[in-house]
Every structure is written in structure tokens, then in C-alpha cells.
Amino acid sequence: MRLFVALAPPPTALDELDAVVTPLRAGQPALRWTSRDAWHITLAFLGEVNEPAAARLGPRLERATARHHQFSLAFAGAGAFPSAARARVFWGGLSGDDRAVASLAASVAAAARRAGAPPPDDGRPFRPHLTLARCRVPADTRALVATLSGYRGPAWTTDRVHLIHSRPSGQPRYAMLDSWPLARR
Ligand code: 2AM
């Protein structure tokens, strides 16, 4: 099964971002906009994971998560991969404890490797983001990025890490399988 590990921002932060993004969706109908219900911040995409490796993942992820402390995040600004002028992915950015989120993502990837489920894009620099839209052909998202550049959402405390199943079909597309707490400050 196709798995990934992610953070789930709280409803208040998602609702506020959704209210800001909704008017943008109508202006750019050619983009494939993601819906608020599916929004998450990926720490590590694991791709296809076989049953034995999936069974080993839980304890590994639990231990890795427990070694990190809770930290603060907020939605802030926007960007695009690979560039705003020729975007394949238009995303919302994050601000807060950048080092903590990067170090948690590295530990999650290491735990997945030890469980026998190495991230297929291991080694790529980690850039925390929330995908707002995907583009079949490269799109000019410079105006969208500029519109959101000053956006700062409410800060929240990240306190859990989630293991999510990306389902090939059916609703919901993403099913939460398990989650583990970060250490309290
Ligand atoms: P994205 O938001 O940047 O598209 C589920 O597919 C999640 O895993 C998405 O958040 C997606 O990131 C992320 N992901 C990272 N690498 C991926 C890959 N090679 N294929 C599919 N999803 C990937």
C-alpha cells in the first residue's frame, strides 16, 4: 500500500487558509486545486510499502516521534515547485520552528529506512509545504504566489505525527492509519 507520514494542521488554521484560497481557485480553474479535507504537510512520502515493512513502521515511527519535542508552526506565504513562473505544484508555506520540522522529517525518513520502507525520493532536500494546486502543464503562478506572500495564519503547536494511506480510489482519498505524539515541552 501507498503510505506517507504527515502533520495534520488544526481545523482553525485550515479553515482560515481555505477562506483565503477559495477566491483564488475561481480565478485559476485550469489548476487542479486540492481540497481542504485532504490538506496535510508531508514529512516523508514512502511510496508502495509491503505488509511486513508496514507492520515494522509503527514502532519505529513511534520511537522516532517520541525523541522530538512539540514545536510551533503557522501557514505563511506561498511558493511553487520547480518555480513560480513554470509551476507544477503551487503550495502554501510554513513559518515557525524550521529546524524542528526538518529534524523531525529526517528522523521519520530514517525510521522508515530502518523499517524497510525507504522514501523513494530520499536525499532530496526537505521543503515543508502544503500543496494547494497541481498543474498538468507548467503554469505561471507568480500572481498567486504574490497574492499570498503576506499571508500569516494562526500559529499552532504540532504535537502528533500521522501515518496516512493514500488510496488509489475511494473516499476519503487519504485514510489516517495511526498517529504518535511528540514529546511535551
Ligand atoms: P505534494 O503535496 O508535494 O504533492 C501524498 O501523495 C503526499 O506525499 C503528498 O503530500 C505529496 O507531496 C507527497 N509526496 C512526496 N513525494 C511524492 C511522490 N514522489 N509521489 C507522490 N506523492 C509524493
Side-chain angles (χ1 to χ4, degrees), residues 2-6 34 38-47 81 88-91 120-121 124 127 129-134 164-166 173-174:
R2 209 173 151 88
L3 299 178
F4 64 97
V5 181
T34 55
W39 281 354
H40 59 268
I41 299 156
T42 301
L43 292 172
F45 175 73
L46 308 183
F81 297 139
R88 287 284 186 177
V89 172
F90 168 61
W91 45 261
D121 44 13
R124 246 209 263 169
R127 182 79 206 252
H129 66 278
L130 182 141
T131 295
L132 295 172
R134 297 190 175 85
I164 303 178
H165 180 198
S166 174
R173 165 101 195 278
Y174 299 133

Side-chain angles (χ1 to χ4, degrees), residues 62-78:
E62 180 170 29
R63 241 179 292 159
T65 304
R67 283 199 300 268
H68 292 262
H69 283 106
Q70 300 180 352
F71 56 89
S72 175
L73 278 182
F75 290 117

Side-chain angles (χ1 to χ4, degrees), residues 40-166:
H40 59 268
I41 299 156
T42 301
L43 292 172
F45 175 73
L46 308 183
E48 275 304 317
V49 177
N50 62 34
E51 284 296 337
R56 289 190 296 265
L57 263 178
R60 293 281 188 189
L61 288 173
E62 180 170 29
R63 241 179 292 159
T65 304
R67 283 199 300 268
H68 292 262
H69 283 106
Q70 300 180 352
F71 56 89
S72 175
L73 278 182
F75 290 117
F81 297 139
S83 73
R86 293 183 57 77
R88 287 284 186 177
V89 172
F90 168 61
W91 45 261
L94 291 145
S95 76
D97 197 337
D98 298 347
R99 283 230 296 254
V101 66
S103 141
L104 177 61
S107 288
V108 162
R113 276 196 299 275
R114 283 194 293 269
D121 44 13
D122 226 359
R124 246 209 263 169
F126 174 70
R127 182 79 206 252
H129 66 278
L130 182 141
T131 295
L132 295 172
R134 297 190 175 85
C135 323
R136 266 185 245 272
V137 290
D140 186 351
T141 59
R142 284 175 292 188
L144 288 173
V145 170
T147 302
L148 284 185
S149 65
Y151 177 69
R152 295 288 176 277
W156 72 85
T157 300
T158 298
D159 58 359
R160 298 191 87 74
V161 162
H162 301 262
L163 178 64
I164 303 178
H165 180 198
S166 174

